[in-house]
Amino acid sequence: METNESLETYLDNHYIHRSNWLRAAVLGANDGILSTASIAIGVASSGAHREPVILAAVAGLVAGALSMAAGEYVSVSSQTDIEKADIEREKKELEEMPEVELQLLAAIYEKRGLKKETALTVAKELTEYDALGAHVRDELGITEISQANPIQAALASGAAFSAGGFLPVLVTLFLPEHHLEYYLYGSAIFFLVVLGAMAAKAGGSDVNKAVLRITFWGTIAMGMTALVGYFFGVNV
C-alpha cells in the first residue's frame, strides 16, 4: 500500500509536470513586460509626451495579450491535432499488423538497453496490458505530461501577458514624464529579473542563469526599440 502511494506521489518532488503551464505563463509574462515596455520606450524616446506613450503602451498590452492567446491556442491545437492523428494511425496499425507492431515495440526496448529476449517479453506483457498506451508512449513519445490543453494554454498565455504588460503601463501612468524611457527600462529590467528568478525557482533550475538570460535579451530588445524612436525623433 505504501509503495503504491509513494509511486503516485513520486513526481511531487520533480518539476517536469509543471513544464506546460510554466512555459506558457513565463513566456506570456515575459513577452508582456518586454513588448509593452519596448513599445512605450520607443515612443518615449521619440520625444513624445506622456499621453501618446500611455496610449501606445495600452494598445500594445491589449493587442499583445489577444495575439499571444490566439497564437498559443492555434499552436497547441495544431500539436494536439497531430498527436490525435498519430494515435488514430497507431490504432489502425495495431489492428492490421499486430505482430509487426509487437516486434517494433521490442526493438525500441532493445535499443534502450534490454536484451533481445527481455525486450520481447516486456513488449508482449505491455501489449497484453495496454497495447495502444505502450505504443503511444514509447513509439510516438506522447505522454500525459507532454500533452497540452489548447484552451488552458491560451488562457494562461493571455492572462500572463496581461499581468506582465500591466506593469509598464503603471510606470507610464505614475512615474515622471522627464526621462520616462529610462524609468521604463529600469523598471522593466527589475520586473524581468523578478520573473526570471520566480520561474527558475518554480522550475527547479539555476536562478542566476535564468536572470542573466532574461536581462540580456530584454536589454537588447528595449535598446533597439529605443534607438528606433530616437533616430526617428518624431513628436506624436
Side-chain angles (χ1 to χ4, degrees):
M1 184 68 177
E2 289 183 10
T3 303
N4 290 335
E5 290 179 357
S6 63
L7 286 173
E8 289 176 0
T9 59
Y10 176 71
L11 281 179
D12 289 352
N13 294 324
H14 294 260
Y15 301 96
I16 188 63
H17 60 292
R18 304 177 183 178
S19 60
N20 284 324
W21 67 261
L22 185 60
R23 179 191 65 84
V26 171
L27 179 62
N30 178 76
D31 202 18
I33 294 170
L34 202 50
S35 298
T36 309
S38 295
I39 291 171
I41 287 172
V43 177
S45 298
S46 70
H49 296 294
R50 183 187 299 274
E51 288 75 14
V53 178
I54 295 173
L55 178 60
V58 172
L61 168 61
V62 174
L66 294 175
S67 176
M68 178 67 88
E72 191 72 16
Y73 179 83
V74 171
S75 174
V76 175
S77 294
S78 298
Q79 176 189 333
T80 303
D81 290 343
I82 292 172
E83 290 176 351
K84 287 180 179 178
D86 276 346
I87 291 172
E88 288 301 318
R89 190 177 298 112
E90 197 62 38
K91 281 183 182 178
K92 188 175 180 181
E93 290 174 352
L94 283 169
E95 291 173 358
E96 295 177 351
M97 43 185 186
E99 190 58 35
V100 174
E101 288 296 304
L102 176 64
Q103 295 299 324
L104 176 59
L105 195 61
I108 291 172
Y109 297 142
E110 190 176 350
K111 284 183 180 179
R112 292 180 181 176
L114 294 181
K115 293 180 180 179
K116 189 170 184 177
E117 298 77 10
T118 306
L120 184 58
T121 301
V122 170
K124 285 180 178 178
E125 292 185 5
L126 288 176
T127 298
E128 291 174 2
Y129 178 73
D130 182 8
L132 181 61
H135 282 272
V136 166
R137 180 182 62 252
D138 296 319
E139 183 182 342
L140 303 181
I142 301 173
T143 65
E144 291 182 2
I145 291 175
S146 67
Q147 287 179 310
N149 183 304
I151 294 178
Q152 183 185 55
L155 291 176
S157 292
F161 187 101
S162 299
F166 186 64
L167 298 173
V169 171
L170 289 177
V171 174
T172 64
L173 287 170
F174 297 111
L175 289 189
E177 182 179 329
H178 188 56
H179 294 317
L180 183 57
E181 61 270 30
Y182 296 111
Y183 289 114
L184 282 163
Y185 170 76
S187 60
I189 289 297
F190 172 75
F191 298 144
L192 288 172
V193 166
V194 172
L195 174 65
M198 290 174 61
K201 282 286 187 181
S205 57
D206 185 80
V207 173
N208 293 328
K209 184 185 291 186
V211 168
L212 181 63
R213 180 171 54 226
I214 205 168
T215 303
F216 175 75
W217 290 109
T219 297
I220 289 178
M222 289 183 285
M224 294 298 292
T225 313
L227 283 175
V228 172
Y230 177 77
F231 285 135
F232 275 90
V234 178
N235 285 315
V236 181

